[in-house]
Amino acid sequence: MAANSNQNNPNQGEIDFFTLLEKLGDLIKRAFLGLINMIGSILAFLLRKWYYFAAAILLTILSAFILNKATLPFYQSEMVVRANATTNQPIMSSLDRLGEYASSKNFPFLAQELGLDNEVAKSIRALETYWYYDIGKDGILDGIDTNGKFLSDTSVAKIDSLFVIRAEVRNPDILQSLEEALFQYLESNTVLKAINVQRLSDLNAQLMQIEYEVEKLDSLQKREYFTNTDDLRQQEGQIVFTTEREVQMYHPQMFRLLQLKQECERELNIFNDVVTIVEGFSQPNFPKYNTIKYGKKLLWYYLGLALLLSVVITFRKKIWTR
């Protein structure tokens, strides 16, 4: 009897396993059907309370229209600048000071610093500077750090030669004047100007040294190729034991020197100012915010409010009794 009982145990284990799977399947099925019923109940509730959400949409349209009419439009544009005299940080700090004047509406100081008319300065709503960042440090620009999230991230490199100036203005017609004023503001900075003069002087000295090294290397190469020192010794009556001469190749050194020369000439001829405007302000076609953009921002607030009101009003008796 004990042997028969042991023989039946495997079959009993298989039956228990299949029973467990069947119960698990039923549980999943009931959970799925319960989820479907809950979603259906929510949709039915939302459909029954459609007038709350219709009112939310109407309020969104009305509020967006009123905001668009009540607020003055402003336009946003960006300018890409290359820092030549020094790194980005001192130049960006100088420009951020102008941004503080604009945000605090200190238009007389802003107009004085930029050499603009006071009415033109009043059209400047904001001036902000942003870094470019490089994820992976592969030398490729991956974006503009508009939120400052990569400033303390050591795995992301900040591009220290290019940065962005973002301007928000009431009148887009002043962007060209603002671009010229910002360039002159940086060029007239005493410290930056002195640093740039020193940089250009160093580049000229470096270029002269490179040209001298190129000339020396060229002369040495010609001597190696066209002069046989053994023949010169034989003419003087010396006995020479010749071996195969090793020919020196100077192409890598020459190419490197020529590359350095081109870099110096580029800095002296193209990037000889304190900064270079790589890409100026573009003319925006539409204001930053209009009725549609205001509506997109307000819609979710009104829909959330409508949902909250519909739940509270529908279940107010249960809520108060508790």
Side-chain angles (χ1 to χ4, degrees):
M1 293 294 294
N4 293 334
S5 176
N6 291 333
Q7 290 177 357
N8 292 333
N9 281 337
N11 294 332
Q12 185 66 32
E14 291 179 2
I15 294 173
D16 292 340
F17 178 72
F18 285 120
T19 303
L20 179 62
L21 287 179
E22 184 178 357
K23 291 182 178 179
L24 183 61
D26 291 338
L27 180 62
I28 294 174
K29 181 179 178 181
R30 287 197 300 271
F32 180 74
L33 291 176
L35 180 62
I36 295 297
N37 290 331
M38 183 178 67
I39 294 174
S41 300
I42 293 173
L43 291 176
F45 174 79
L46 295 178
L47 288 174
R48 287 198 306 270
K49 305 299 180 182
W50 63 269
Y51 42 88
Y52 286 97
F53 302 101
I57 294 173
L58 291 175
L59 283 174
T60 299
I61 296 173
L62 182 62
S63 300
F65 182 77
I66 292 174
L67 278 175
N68 188 51
K69 292 297 183 182
T71 58
L72 292 174
F74 62 92
Y75 301 81
Q76 188 179 86
S77 186
E78 294 178 350
M79 179 170 69
V80 181
V81 178
R82 184 186 191 268
N84 300 327
T86 181
T87 57
N88 285 350
Q89 187 60 57
I91 299 176
M92 293 173 70
S93 298
S94 180
L95 293 170
D96 287 338
R97 186 160 58 94
L98 298 178
E100 292 175 2
Y101 290 154
S103 60
S104 61
K105 298 184 179 180
N106 194 346
F107 299 119
F109 276 86
L110 183 61
Q112 181 181 351
E113 292 287 341
L114 290 176
L116 293 172
D117 186 74
N118 194 47
E119 293 301 320
V120 176
K122 287 181 179 179
S123 296
I124 302 173
R125 186 174 182 269
L127 279 174
E128 298 172 329
T129 59
Y130 299 105
W131 294 83
Y132 278 106
Y133 62 86
D134 172 16
I135 299 177
K137 301 180 181 180
D138 52 5
I140 300 175
L141 303 181
D142 293 306
I144 303 172
D145 190 11
T146 55
N147 298 320
K149 61 183 293 188
F150 298 117
L151 290 179
S152 59
D153 192 341
T154 56
S155 64
V156 178
K158 295 185 298 183
I159 305 301
D160 209 18
S161 58
L162 285 176
F163 64 94
V164 173
I165 302 175
R166 177 176 294 174
E168 293 180 0
V169 296
R170 302 290 185 189
N171 181 10
D173 295 334
I174 72 165
L175 285 172
Q176 184 63 37
S177 300
L178 178 59
E179 179 181 321
E180 296 172 358
L182 289 172
F183 178 78
Q184 292 300 326
Y185 169 77
L186 294 174
E187 287 295 318
S188 62
N189 186 295
T190 306
V191 176
L192 296 178
K193 190 175 181 179
I195 294 174
N196 193 50
V197 170
Q198 183 62 47
R199 179 182 72 96
L200 296 178
S201 176
D202 293 342
L203 285 171
N204 277 309
Q206 184 179 355
L207 182 60
M208 291 177 62
Q209 182 63 32
I210 290 173
E211 290 175 344
Y212 174 69
E213 294 292 337
V214 168
E215 185 178 352
K216 279 201 330 181
L217 191 61
D218 188 54
S219 300
L220 180 61
Q221 183 171 274
K222 288 179 181 178
R223 186 180 174 212
E224 287 284 340
Y225 278 125
F226 300 112
T227 304
N228 190 334
T229 56
D230 294 340
D231 292 341
L232 294 176
R233 291 177 182 177
Q234 288 177 0
Q235 290 175 4
E236 296 174 357
Q238 298 179 9
I239 299 175
V240 180
F241 298 93
T242 61
T243 57
E244 184 178 354
R245 188 175 55 151
E246 182 180 354
V247 179
Q248 296 288 335
M249 301 297 292
Y250 298 102
H251 294 87
Q253 295 92 326
M254 182 68 76
F255 288 151
R256 178 56 184 160
L257 286 173
L258 292 176
Q259 183 180 5
L260 289 174
K261 180 183 177 183
Q262 291 174 354
E263 291 175 0
C264 287
E265 290 175 341
R266 181 182 60 184
E267 292 290 327
L268 288 169
N269 298 328
I270 300 176
F271 304 117
N272 52 6
D273 295 316
V274 173
V275 295
T276 299
I277 298 177
V278 179
E279 183 179 342
F281 288 126
S282 59
Q283 195 72 14
N285 295 324
F286 302 99
K288 184 178 180 181
Y289 289 109
N290 51 28
T291 303
I292 296 177
K293 292 182 178 180
Y294 280 125
K296 288 180 179 179
K297 284 183 170 292
L298 293 172
L299 178 61
W300 299 108
Y301 295 105
Y302 280 119
L303 287 178
L305 181 62
L307 179 62
L308 179 63
L309 286 175
S310 62
V311 171
V312 170
I313 293 174
T314 302
F315 301 101
R316 61 185 181 278
K317 292 183 179 180
K318 294 182 179 180
I319 293 174
W320 302 139
T321 54
R322 291 184 181 181

